Amino acid sequence: MKTLSIKDIAVQANVSITTVSFIINGKAKEKSISEAVIEKVEKIIEESGYKPNQIARSLRTGNSNIIGLIIEDISNSFFSRIARLIEDKAYKRGYKIIYSSTENSVDKAKELINMFKSRKVDAYIISPIKGIEEDINMLLTDNKPVILFDRNLPNVDTNYVGADHFNASYQSIESFIKQGKKNIALVTTDIDVQQITERYDGYKKALEDNGITYSDDLVVKIHFNQEEAETISQIKTLLESKKIDAVLFATNYLAISGLKVLKQINKKIGDEFAVIAYDDHEAFELHTPSISTVQQPLEEIAETVIKLILSQLSSKTKLENQQVIIPAKLIIRD
Amino acid sequence: MKTLSIKDIAVQANVSITTVSFIINGKAKEKSISEAVIEKVEKIIEESGYKPNQIARSLRTGNSNIIGLIIEDISNSFFSRIARLIEDKAYKRGYKIIYSSTENSVDKAKELINMFKSRKVDAYIISPIKGIEEDINMLLTDNKPVILFDRNLPNVDTNYVGADHFNASYQSIESFIKQGKKNIALVTTDIDVQQITERYDGYKKALEDNGITYSDDLVVKIHFNQEEAETISQIKTLLESKKIDAVLFATNYLAISGLKVLKQINKKIGDEFAVIAYDDHEAFELHTPSISTVQQPLEEIAETVIKLILSQLSSKTKLENQQVIIPAKLIIRD
DNA sequence: TGAATTTAGTAAAACGTTTTACGTTATCTC
DNA sequence: GAGATAACGTAAAACGTTTTACTAAATTCA
């Protein structure tokens, strides 16, 4: 069964292809097609179930109604929740999402950008990594809307939406200090992206401002792509050997590993020892005791990203770039 | 900056478009293009950074190297983990994934299938819902490979990959019974999909086989799209009022809500009261005490799905449909 | 009434590829 | 040395749309 084309409809309705095209695209009035013809054609389209070939459309118009979403890892709940929200909102406005995970590999990220480019996606939503600045700049010279989120790139001049990582981290540490904690550790990753370094900077600054000397011994940087067993053993070393009385985990998956360690070594969270995790996770609320977390405003981030994209897509002229920083919320539990 | 086309390359190399096309597609040898020309053209392509326009390619060839993935909800960790695995494996074989969530809406599912169709995706991976049988059958008459996973549709004759939900459920209940439990509840959803009814049937059969009378009072079916607060209150009613000594939760998100209830009403899991959750979740291992779960073989499911897809895509003839049922694993914790 | 305008519609080019069918020359075979 | 084959390559159609520039008839206007 050959699939129908606009030509088949035209033949059946005994009008030209052009006329059908105008009707499909809602330009019938403007192009002064008579009511009678419009109805006839629409009826045929309806009955035959004809659907325009989007590929041909894209080839001709140069756009696709598709937005490309590039994230670190769709199986991380932070990203999958954001993806769902973005998908949802985009869908309501007639846009589809293609997504892919970079797994923090520069090569894969570059490849993804290329693939999206050759598929003519209309806009890009990227949670970027260092090393792809040039590729992004090429998109920008192509006049494609690009929104970075979660992490910013210093050398790229475009839109950015993200949480205020520095202050969230700062406040977390301050809350530890107010509880009288003195030996506050930080478990973070070694990937060199802005939102991670901000969390680190917030940690450091909060200590300084409160007269606590920063010590490298209390910070462990976990290698991104390693096995969880390795991560667990590194965190275990930290938590066992030191007289640490509080820990901030810089990502939710590090916190998960950390909680596993605490269970293994039977170290209890309570008055003697406090924990805060960055990025909420269902496990944290359920944990006994509940784990305090820094909640990113997912809904707001997604909404802002989509709003920026759409306003750019609908505007003829290049809009002013925007940097939207949304406060994160420290949720103290138990 | 206009983007380069194959024509620009041809002009620059002073050969025909055809020749460039043959070289790009590795048909140079076969079409007896000389080594010299090949090298020249490849050099120009390399230097200019030319990338073929996939849209034009798709229009001409009728396929896209894209696989469409339709799932219930990308923010559910079961699906996001499967998606990540599938994406990964597809990517290694040169295929990209477009995904979208149905949110269990028949209309949205139909729309998605249409959109994928008009984008000429090469194959479909679908975690289906009732009501889209006809749409899927149309894909099949179009000779597109379709793999259903997680849930099967009785009236659709195609490939299926999923876990053995009936037995997993049966075994869970049996393990309760072996522990001496008598009043075993089931918390499930009201969506009418195969993998959910199988879990229900396994529950019922295990009770029967062990001489325990089934009671409707011990089963609560949660409406799919409702607010979590509502869900929690329904589960609370169940767990508070009955002398229940064990519960099987039929999905991970129901189990999460259930655990929240237990925390609220301060009911402890232990010798007196046992819990098993379907589909693992990070929260379960961390929970105190750890929660036993039915683990689906994600890796195997993803691998099998991709294997089936690829063998169909590379085969000229229609292959025999396969139904792959993979055992799930009951993990008893603590 | 005849020029101008409006109404109703169409032909054909263009988007960037792949692929079929064909055209030269050079080489081989006997 | 003539016919066949191989080597090297190309022109042009086709994929299914959108859009520009156009035409022919009907209506309006003064």
Side-chain angles (χ1 to χ4, degrees):
Chain A
M1 191 190 64
K2 271 311 303 120
T3 70
L4 292 169
S5 80
I6 196 171
K7 194 174 166 191
D8 300 311
I9 304 296
V11 169
Q12 233 187 99
N14 201 22
V15 296
S16 73
I17 290 180
T18 311
T19 302
V20 178
S21 174
F22 285 154
I23 293 174
I24 291 172
N25 293 291
K27 297 189 180 166
K29 284 275 175 318
E30 177 189 336
K31 299 291 178 176
S32 56
I33 308 292
S34 69
E35 212 36 70
V37 171
I38 296 182
E39 266 174 34
K40 178 171 63 174
V41 171
E42 276 176 347
K43 184 145 172 281
I44 294 178
I45 290 178
E46 173 69 24
E47 281 169 0
S48 63
Y50 163 74
K51 292 277 187 297
N53 178 325
Q54 298 296 340
I55 303 265
R57 229 176 212 186
S58 288
L59 178 59
R60 170 63 224 217
T61 64
N63 50 46
S64 57
N65 274 16
I66 291 186
I67 296 171
L69 174 60
I70 297 181
I71 56 189
E72 179 183 307
D73 175 5
I74 192 66
S75 70
N76 176 323
S77 82
F78 169 72
F79 287 110
S80 71
R81 288 195 288 186
I82 280 271
R84 166 71 190 269
L85 290 169
I86 287 179
E87 182 193 354
D88 228 50
K89 292 171 201 301
Y91 188 82
K92 287 198 182 106
R93 274 91 155 192
Y95 283 91
K96 306 297 177 300
I97 301 285
I98 310 188
Y99 83 104
S100 255
S101 309
T102 63
E103 299 162 52
N104 273 316
S105 142
V106 173
D107 287 344
K108 187 156 184 219
K110 281 168 181 266
E111 254 190 86
L112 287 178
I113 289 180
N114 270 327
M115 122 164 199
F116 284 175
K117 206 152 86 178
S118 59
R119 292 236 146 66
K120 304 291 175 204
V121 308
D122 293 349
Y124 298 77
I125 303 173
I126 306 178
S127 150
I129 47 180
K130 271 193 184 159
I132 59 168
E133 289 85 350
E134 226 180 284
D135 305 74
I136 295 183
N137 280 326
M138 278 176 58
L139 298 178
L140 293 172
T141 57
D142 265 9
N143 267 324
K144 293 292 177 200
V146 176
I147 315 279
L148 305 183
F149 81 101
D150 189 42
R151 348 168 156 173
N152 209 347
L153 286 178
N155 295 319
V156 174
D157 187 23
T158 186
N159 301 276
Y160 167 71
V161 180
D164 185 348
H165 303 292
F166 177 87
N167 274 317
S169 170
Y170 188 98
Q171 282 161 23
S172 308
I173 301 305
E174 256 195 339
S175 96
F176 281 150
I177 294 172
K178 279 196 196 119
Q179 290 168 49
K181 307 301 179 203
K182 305 273 186 231
N183 297 289
I184 302 169
L186 173 68
V187 176
T188 182
T189 91
D190 68 344
I191 47 174
D192 186 12
V193 296
Q194 184 225 14
Q195 99 278 29
I196 293 296
T197 52
E198 275 184 12
R199 293 173 201 187
Y200 176 75
D201 292 343
Y203 165 81
K204 226 166 154 177
K205 188 75 174 13
L207 292 181
E208 271 175 27
D209 287 359
N210 288 277
I212 300 183
T213 16
Y214 166 87
S215 153
D216 260 342
D217 291 352
L218 294 178
V219 174
V220 37
K221 295 191 176 183
I222 305 287
H223 184 54
F224 175 72
N225 251 330
Q226 77 192 17
E227 294 289 320
E228 199 191 2
E230 175 74 14
T231 304
I232 286 188
S233 108
Q234 283 178 265
I235 297 179
K236 197 188 266 179
T237 311
L238 174 79
L239 296 183
E240 270 178 346
S241 66
K242 305 275 163 35
K243 51 184 182 341
I244 290 165
D245 51 16
V247 184
L248 173 64
F249 291 99
T251 78
N252 56 10
Y253 60 86
L254 289 174
I256 300 266
S257 300
L259 292 176
K260 289 184 186 164
V261 168
L262 293 177
K263 195 162 188 179
Q264 274 183 30
I265 65 177
N266 202 21
K267 182 162 188 159
K268 299 284 180 229
I269 297 172
D271 290 343
E272 305 298 298
F273 178 68
V275 164
I276 296 180
Y278 211 105
D279 287 348
D280 206 359
H281 190 282
E282 276 150 337
F284 300 155
E285 190 184 343
L286 276 179
H287 195 271
T288 311
S290 301
I291 305 297
S292 300
T293 82
V294 175
Q295 261 181 6
Q296 293 202 51
L298 300 182
E299 182 84 37
E300 270 174 274
I301 291 176
E303 186 59 59
T304 311
V305 164
I306 286 294
K307 221 176 55 199
L308 286 176
I309 288 266
L310 292 177
S311 64
Q312 296 216 21
L313 284 173
S314 60
S315 143
K316 297 284 153 261
T317 62
K318 177 99 185 77
L319 298 177
E320 189 88 14
N321 284 326
Q322 299 208 27
Q323 312 282 317
V324 183
I325 311 277
I326 304 173
K329 212 153 68 189
L330 179 60
I331 307 283
I332 299 291
R333 292 204 175 105
D334 266 19
Chain B
M1 192 189 64
K2 272 311 303 119
T3 69
L4 292 170
S5 83
I6 195 172
K7 194 174 165 189
D8 300 312
I9 306 296
V11 168
Q12 232 188 100
N14 202 21
V15 297
S16 74
I17 290 181
T18 310
T19 302
V20 177
S21 175
F22 285 154
I23 293 173
I24 290 172
N25 293 291
K27 298 191 179 162
K29 284 278 176 320
E30 178 189 334
K31 299 289 179 177
S32 57
I33 307 291
S34 69
E35 213 34 72
V37 170
I38 296 181
E39 265 175 34
K40 178 171 64 173
V41 171
E42 277 176 346
K43 184 145 172 276
I44 293 178
I45 290 178
E46 172 70 25
E47 281 170 0
S48 65
Y50 163 73
K51 293 276 184 298
N53 179 326
Q54 299 295 341
I55 303 266
R57 233 179 208 181
S58 288
L59 179 59
R60 170 65 223 217
T61 64
N63 50 45
S64 57
N65 274 16
I66 291 188
I67 296 171
L69 174 60
I70 296 181
I71 55 188
E72 178 182 309
D73 174 4
I74 192 65
S75 70
N76 177 322
S77 82
F78 170 72
F79 287 110
S80 72
R81 286 194 288 188
I82 280 271
R84 166 70 191 269
L85 289 168
I86 288 179
E87 182 192 354
D88 227 52
K89 293 174 201 299
Y91 188 82
K92 287 197 181 107
R93 275 88 157 195
Y95 283 93
K96 304 299 175 300
I97 301 283
I98 310 190
Y99 84 103
S100 254
S101 310
T102 64
E103 299 162 52
N104 273 315
S105 144
V106 173
D107 287 344
K108 188 159 183 214
K110 281 168 181 267
E111 253 189 88
L112 287 178
I113 290 180
N114 269 326
M115 125 166 197
F116 284 175
K117 206 151 86 178
S118 60
R119 291 239 147 64
K120 303 290 174 207
V121 309
D122 293 350
Y124 297 78
I125 303 174
I126 305 179
S127 150
I129 49 181
K130 272 194 183 156
I132 60 168
E133 291 84 351
E134 225 180 285
D135 306 75
I136 295 183
N137 280 327
M138 280 176 57
L139 298 178
L140 293 171
T141 57
D142 264 10
N143 267 322
K144 293 291 176 198
V146 176
I147 316 279
L148 304 184
F149 81 100
D150 189 40
R151 346 168 157 172
N152 210 346
L153 285 179
N155 294 318
V156 173
D157 187 25
T158 186
N159 301 276
Y160 168 70
V161 180
D164 185 348
H165 302 293
F166 178 87
N167 274 319
S169 170
Y170 189 98
Q171 282 162 24
S172 308
I173 301 304
E174 256 196 339
S175 97
F176 281 150
I177 295 173
K178 278 195 196 121
Q179 291 168 49
K181 306 301 179 204
K182 304 276 185 227
N183 297 289
I184 303 169
L186 172 67
V187 176
T188 182
T189 93
D190 69 343
I191 48 174
D192 185 14
V193 297
Q194 184 224 14
Q195 99 277 27
I196 293 295
T197 52
E198 276 185 12
R199 293 173 201 187
Y200 176 75
D201 292 344
Y203 165 81
K204 229 167 152 175
K205 188 75 173 15
L207 291 182
E208 272 174 27
D209 287 359
N210 288 277
I212 300 183
T213 14
Y214 166 87
S215 154
D216 259 343
D217 292 352
L218 294 179
V219 175
V220 37
K221 296 192 178 183
I222 304 289
H223 183 53
F224 175 71
N225 251 331
Q226 76 191 16
E227 293 288 321
E228 198 190 4
E230 176 73 14
T231 304
I232 285 188
S233 107
Q234 282 178 264
I235 297 178
K236 197 188 267 178
T237 311
L238 175 78
L239 296 184
E240 271 178 347
S241 66
K242 306 276 161 34
K243 48 182 183 344
I244 290 166
D245 51 16
V247 184
L248 172 64
F249 291 99
T251 79
N252 55 11
Y253 61 87
L254 289 174
I256 300 266
S257 299
L259 293 176
K260 287 182 186 165
V261 168
L262 293 177
K263 195 162 188 179
Q264 273 182 32
I265 66 177
N266 203 21
K267 182 163 187 158
K268 298 284 179 230
I269 297 173
D271 290 342
E272 305 299 299
F273 179 67
V275 164
I276 296 180
Y278 212 106
D279 288 348
D280 205 1
H281 190 283
E282 276 150 335
F284 300 155
E285 189 184 343
L286 275 180
H287 196 270
T288 311
S290 301
I291 305 297
S292 301
T293 83
V294 176
Q295 262 182 5
Q296 293 203 52
L298 300 183
E299 181 86 37
E300 269 174 274
I301 292 176
E303 185 60 58
T304 311
V305 164
I306 286 294
K307 222 177 56 203
L308 286 176
I309 289 265
L310 292 177
S311 65
Q312 296 219 22
L313 283 174
S314 60
S315 143
K316 297 283 154 261
T317 64
K318 176 97 184 78
L319 299 176
E320 188 88 16
N321 284 327
Q322 300 209 27
Q323 311 283 316
V324 184
I325 311 276
I326 304 173
K329 213 156 63 190
L330 178 60
I331 306 284
I332 300 289
R333 294 205 175 105
D334 264 18

